Amino acid sequence: MSVGRVLAVANQKGGAGKSTTAVNMAVGLARAGRGVLLWDLDPQCCATRALGREPADRHPLLATEGDRRPELVPTAIERLDLMPGCRSFQDIYRLANGDTDSTSAVQRRVSELGTEYDFLLLDCPPSLGTLTQTALASASEVLMPIPCEYFAMEGLTDLIHMIRDVMRQPGRQLEFGGIVLTRYDCNMELTEEVATEVRDFFGDIVFDTVIPQDAAIAEASRLGRSVLEHAPRSRGARAYIELCMEVLDRD
Ligand SMILES: Nc1ncnc2c1ncn2[C@@H]1O[C@H](COP(=O)(O)OP(=O)(O)OP(=O)(O)O)[C@@H](O)[C@H]1O
Ligand SMILES: [Mg+2]
């Protein structure tokens, strides 16, 4: 039985482009003919809304019999399903605060679903808490979006330590899937400085594709669509398609 690639999209920095990258890659990979599940692990539920869906009332993995809902939600995109984010504070608290039953339930479900999809994308919250740790422990690769702005590298060493810790645990399969430079603004000198610094530091794991700062991307998330559907000819859409190609090439 073949097992799909599980990509945790992580960076504890807020607004780094995690959800945007997870959503647009999910759409791009589904359009490239792959079966994709996007799992929204962030209580902010941005990825869920960016796909035009509403957060669930209870987390499907924790819901009791009475309020059980279909676990996975189909999307407007063929071959793309969504595990929606959840608005129950109680459930998020249980998932995020070391309730080992529920965190291992996430890991178990990810590995079961890995046999049903070619790609599982896990959109992590902007923290190094249990949800991100669980995502890393469940993933085969970590994909880190880094925005080309001040302090882009600040705090990244904590995430890298966490990744290394997970890699060292027996039975774990986590690898560095890659780093993607986001919010690249060619009119700003700083952008190029950050890009150079990131490439010098991380080397080959940085994707060649950079995601430009593009109003079409922000507009699309506001409208609950991917930029690939909203503005297929935009620079942002083209960049996300190129990024998908690079991810497929790195198989
Ligand atoms: N390349 C881009 N060009 C323009 N706007 C962007 C770009 N990438 C992301 N944005 C916008 O910036 C905001 C934050 O992006 P996003 O939600 O993807 O970041 P995040 O890392 O998931 O944030 P959080 O840490 O809060 O989960 C969103 O409104 C999104 O539409
Ligand atoms: Mg997000």
Side-chain angles (χ1 to χ4, degrees), residues 5 28-29 32 34 119 243-251:
R5 292 167 65 182
L29 291 167
R34 305 306 195 276
F119 282 92
L243 179 63
C244 288
M245 296 304 163
E246 275 200 74
V247 168
L248 289 168
D249 277 351
R250 285 191 185 186
D251 199 355

Side-chain angles (χ1 to χ4, degrees), residues 21-172:
T21 298
V23 165
N24 287 292
M25 277 188 52
V27 173
L29 291 167
R31 285 199 173 169
R34 305 306 195 276
V36 184
L37 173 66
L38 175 60
W39 186 320
D40 187 355
L41 270 170
D42 185 356
Q44 298 178 98
C45 305
C46 295
T48 302
R49 293 197 181 89
L51 277 175
R53 294 287 178 264
E54 280 301 307
D57 292 330
R58 297 287 322 269
H59 196 284
L61 290 181
L62 303 176
T64 48
E65 279 309 315
D67 42 29
R68 213 174 262 294
R69 295 280 182 278
E71 186 189 27
L72 304 177
V73 179
T75 66
I77 311 290
E78 206 179 334
R79 291 179 293 274
L80 172 59
D81 292 334
L82 171 73
M83 174 75 84
C86 142
R87 60 176 139 229
S88 155
F89 283 113
Q90 201 187 359
D91 286 1
I92 288 157
Y93 186 83
R94 277 183 65 193
L95 279 176
N97 286 279
D99 177 334
T100 48
D101 277 355
S102 44
T103 52
S104 60
V106 173
Q107 286 180 43
R108 255 196 321 274
R109 197 66 190 114
V110 168
S111 75
E112 285 164 9
L113 289 166
T115 61
E116 293 174 31
Y117 293 90
D118 299 308
F119 282 92
L120 264 72
L121 298 175
L122 313 176
D123 184 28
C124 296
S127 83
L128 291 179
T130 317
L131 288 170
T132 296
Q133 213 161 0
T134 303
L136 295 175
S138 315
S140 55
E141 297 162 52
V142 54
L143 195 148
M144 218 192 289
I146 300 185
C148 298
E149 47 192 43
Y150 278 116
F151 306 124
M153 306 270 276
E154 198 87 346
L156 274 189
T157 43
D158 296 335
L159 174 58
I160 290 164
H161 281 143
M162 182 182 257
I163 293 169
R164 295 235 160 93
D165 281 350
V166 173
M167 283 173 167
R168 271 196 287 268
Q169 289 165 17
R172 294 282 175 250

Side-chain angles (χ1 to χ4, degrees), residues 20 183 213-225 227 230:
T20 305
R183 319 199 74 140
Q213 179 71 25
D214 183 356
I217 292 181
E219 222 169 69
S221 12
R222 254 198 325 275
L223 295 171
R225 306 175 77 196
V227 73
H230 174 63

